[in-house]
Amino acid sequence: MAREIDPSFLALPLRKLADAALSRAKELGVEHADFRVQRVRDQALRLRDGRLEGSLDSEDAGFAVRVVYEGTWGFAAGVDFTPEAAVRVAELAVDVARTSRAINTERVELADEPVYPDVTWISEYEINPFDVPDTEKLDLLADYSRRLLAAAGVDHVDASLLAVQENKFYADLAGTVTTQQRVRIHPELTAVAVDAQTGQFETMRTLAPPAGRGWEYATGGDGAWDWDAELAEIPELLAEKMRAPSVEAGVYDLVIHPSNLWLTIHESIGHATELDRALGYEAAYAGTSFATFDKLGRLRYGSPVMNVTGDRVTPHGLATIGYDDEGVAAQRWDIVKDGILVGYQLDRRMARLKGLGRSNGCAFADSAHHVPVQRMPNVSLQPAPDGPSTEELIAGVERGLYIVGDKSWSIDMQRYNFQFTGQRFYAIRNGRLAGQVRDVAYQATTTDFWGSMEAVGGPQTYVLGGAFNCGKAQPAQIAAVSHGCPSALFRGVRVLNTVQEAGK
């Protein structure tokens, strides 16, 4: 199916508004001005035991003008799509810069970027979820729910579907003009088992990650996820989890599946290598970072088998885009190379401020009413080209745990001390899986954990995981981000028994 920019977005007077706003900003003497129209459509469906429990459809649309005037940022936004309103918003943005100038201590300068006069980019998908009738979506979720409810031991099933269509038009005084559309989707089901006598309950959630794909991902029509196979195995996995013994706290070798490891990457590498956070400009939600700028090129982040990249180009990545909100073209770059910190996430201001050359395209806003901030790209741990399978990694462990699926996490304000749990845990005895255990959390410092990584799996173990709603900044903004990784082997990691830690 041919993909096209939503005609209703193109019907907006995009260029007239841009011309009006940028011309007025230029008349007022700005050094830089950019104009952005952004429309985000969200849909959320939620079922309980196959019956609709809640739904949400929303649309956020508006435009924004951002300027640099006498070395100071100015920003304003509006929702009236007329040239007159665009002019007023441009004037307001300059007024904001004039007012802020008195307290600005650092002159704003932007790294150079080639000009892209008129480019269009659309993410990779087959069927736009917003072209699919709601009844079809609900029927699919209800069918998936019934399959799980039909199995012995499954007492309840929660099902949900999130879908987003994001359109952006960008233009700046340098002459760049971009028009983009990206689509993403996340179907998810959770089976619940309850012991009527003890009141004990357990859950088992699907591992299918959110993806920059269309409706075909939910049906399994693109071959990206085998829903039939996963739904068929969940009841027995849940039953085994209900029977599983509680883990003995101690030090274990861990083999971690990508469905769990992506979240550790997100919290301990992704947020820690945002340059604004490392420099102390950003501390909301997650604090600053132990990976400070003076450590660039010197910090041993992990073992020599650790290679982490940032990118905006991975097909179906949630952070994949053609151009960022400063008109910077999508790229791929190294963040950790052979275990050493070698790169950060940048926007044009930070790139110029620290003399790092060109921005790598990490400036994004989640709404027309918000200022673009440095946002996480797809941050991924690279597999070994001829690396082992997950089974071969497990075979190298005498006493350990195999961890699958993400659940809760905790990390300190420097992104250094952390704790993660998961969906299911298997004991490893003499190189083989020896049944599930429960109540597991692994705990470490970021550098100790990644330093203990002895081996990474091959490309056959690689999975692109991620999240829809990474939060950052004040006012709060959300962003979708993917993290690819292989299975990996870690030696000597501290494991807690979460029940004992809770004092029960």
Side-chain angles (χ1 to χ4, degrees), residues 253-319:
D253 294 340
L254 305 181
V255 176
I256 303 182
H257 187 266
S259 57
N260 181 274
L261 193 57
W262 77 267
L263 183 55
T264 313
I265 293 170
H266 177 85
E267 301 294 345
S268 69
I269 305 172
H271 278 304
T273 58
E274 296 165 334
L275 184 56
D276 59 347
R277 198 178 295 281
L279 293 174
Y281 287 79
E282 169 65 32
Y285 281 120
T288 55
S289 173
F290 77 97
T292 50
F293 189 70
D294 59 304
K295 297 185 175 75
L296 183 64
R298 299 190 303 113
L299 174 65
R300 175 153 289 285
Y301 216 106
S303 74
V305 301
M306 182 186 189
N307 290 286
V308 177
T309 57
D311 81 78
R312 294 275 179 193
V313 297
T314 295
H316 308 298
L318 295 169

Side-chain angles (χ1 to χ4, degrees), residues 360-442:
N360 47 35
C362 290
F364 283 91
D366 68 351
S367 161
H369 314 298
H370 287 155
V371 177
V373 294
Q374 217 171 81
R375 293 315 309 261
M376 206 181 298
N378 307 306
V379 175
S380 301
L381 175 69
Q382 297 304 305
D386 300 315
S389 66
T390 302
E391 292 73 19
E392 289 170 322
L393 291 171
I394 292 171
V397 174
E398 183 176 347
R399 175 180 178 272
L401 297 171
Y402 175 47
I403 302 175
V404 180
D406 66 86
K407 201 169 185 182
S408 65
W409 74 97
S410 175
I411 193 162
D412 71 12
M413 297 297 278
Q414 294 296 305
R415 297 278 146 185
Y416 196 60
N417 295 282
F418 63 66
Q419 178 175 308
F420 290 86
T421 62
Q423 285 290 309
R424 54 184 187 263
F425 313 91
Y426 298 86
I428 303 174
R429 297 284 183 271
N430 301 317
R432 297 191 176 196
L433 297 184
Q436 289 191 48
V437 294
R438 53 193 291 172
D439 310 323
V440 175
Y442 61 95

Side-chain angles (χ1 to χ4, degrees), residues 136-380:
E136 187 173 336
K137 298 171 186 171
L138 293 171
D139 286 346
L140 182 73
L141 293 175
D143 174 54
Y144 286 175
S145 299
R146 283 193 293 269
R147 295 192 209 179
L148 292 171
L149 286 167
V154 175
D155 295 291
H156 298 285
V157 173
D158 294 313
S160 64
L161 177 75
L162 303 176
V164 179
Q165 176 185 304
E166 185 175 316
N167 287 103
K168 284 190 181 183
F169 172 86
Y170 170 92
D172 62 31
L173 277 180
T176 287
V177 179
T178 68
T179 308
Q180 305 183 83
Q181 175 167 299
R182 58 176 172 170
V183 164
R184 51 188 178 268
I185 190 168
H186 188 199
E188 185 176 81
L189 289 102
T190 301
V192 182
V194 181
D195 186 321
Q197 293 185 332
T198 66
Q200 176 187 344
F201 70 93
E202 278 291 357
T203 63
M204 188 69 68
R205 178 161 46 82
T206 50
L207 301 180
R213 295 178 182 270
W215 175 243
E216 67 280 358
Y217 180 62
T219 64
D222 59 358
W225 198 260
D226 190 340
W227 289 96
D228 292 339
E230 181 164 40
L231 294 172
E233 71 175 4
I234 279 180
E236 177 51 36
L237 291 171
L238 178 58
E240 183 184 2
K241 189 175 183 180
M242 287 287 284
R243 301 189 300 267
S246 195
V247 71
E248 179 182 344
V251 175
Y252 290 81
D253 294 340
L254 305 181
V255 176
I256 303 182
H257 187 266
S259 57
N260 181 274
L261 193 57
W262 77 267
L263 183 55
T264 313
I265 293 170
H266 177 85
E267 301 294 345
S268 69
I269 305 172
H271 278 304
T273 58
E274 296 165 334
L275 184 56
D276 59 347
R277 198 178 295 281
L279 293 174
Y281 287 79
E282 169 65 32
Y285 281 120
T288 55
S289 173
F290 77 97
T292 50
F293 189 70
D294 59 304
K295 297 185 175 75
L296 183 64
R298 299 190 303 113
L299 174 65
R300 175 153 289 285
Y301 216 106
S303 74
V305 301
M306 182 186 189
N307 290 286
V308 177
T309 57
D311 81 78
R312 294 275 179 193
V313 297
T314 295
H316 308 298
L318 295 169
T320 299
I321 197 76
Y323 304 85
D324 78 353
D325 289 352
E326 294 185 327
V328 178
Q331 303 158 46
R332 183 179 188 273
W333 67 98
D334 291 326
I335 294 177
V336 177
K337 184 72 173 174
D338 300 328
I340 304 297
L341 175 69
V342 296
Y344 286 104
Q345 305 160 45
L346 308 171
D347 59 19
R348 293 179 66 177
R349 183 200 175 200
M350 290 290 168
R352 174 60 63 87
L353 182 69
K354 304 308 293 184
L356 296 173
R358 184 185 175 200
S359 165
N360 47 35
C362 290
F364 283 91
D366 68 351
S367 161
H369 314 298
H370 287 155
V371 177
V373 294
Q374 217 171 81
R375 293 315 309 261
M376 206 181 298
N378 307 306
V379 175
S380 301

Side-chain angles (χ1 to χ4, degrees), residues 34-149:
D34 56 58
F35 173 85
R36 172 169 47 91
V37 177
Q38 185 163 341
R39 187 184 69 178
V40 181
R41 299 176 64 188
D42 289 276
Q43 183 178 51
L45 301 173
R46 189 176 69 255
L47 281 70
R48 175 73 166 175
D49 294 337
R51 295 185 292 275
L52 180 64
E53 191 171 73
S55 66
L56 171 70
D57 285 89
S58 67
E59 179 174 311
D60 179 277
F63 67 90
V65 178
R66 191 180 64 156
V67 302
V68 178
Y69 177 80
E70 295 189 357
T72 302
W73 285 122
F75 175 84
V79 296
D80 182 4
F81 289 96
T82 65
E84 295 76 16
V87 167
R88 290 196 297 272
V89 169
E91 291 170 343
L92 181 58
V94 174
D95 284 344
V96 170
R98 284 197 184 104
T99 303
S100 304
R101 184 179 49 189
I103 58 172
N104 184 25
T105 58
E106 288 183 337
R107 183 176 180 80
V108 174
E109 296 181 350
L110 305 181
D112 294 335
E113 177 67 15
V115 172
Y116 311 98
D118 189 2
V119 291
T120 297
W121 183 90
I122 305 174
S123 65
E124 295 187 30
Y125 61 89
E126 295 178 18
I127 303 171
N128 190 326
F130 291 90
D131 292 338
V132 178
D134 288 352
T135 53
E136 187 173 336
K137 298 171 186 171
L138 293 171
D139 286 346
L140 182 73
L141 293 175
D143 174 54
Y144 286 175
S145 299
R146 283 193 293 269
R147 295 192 209 179
L148 292 171
L149 286 167

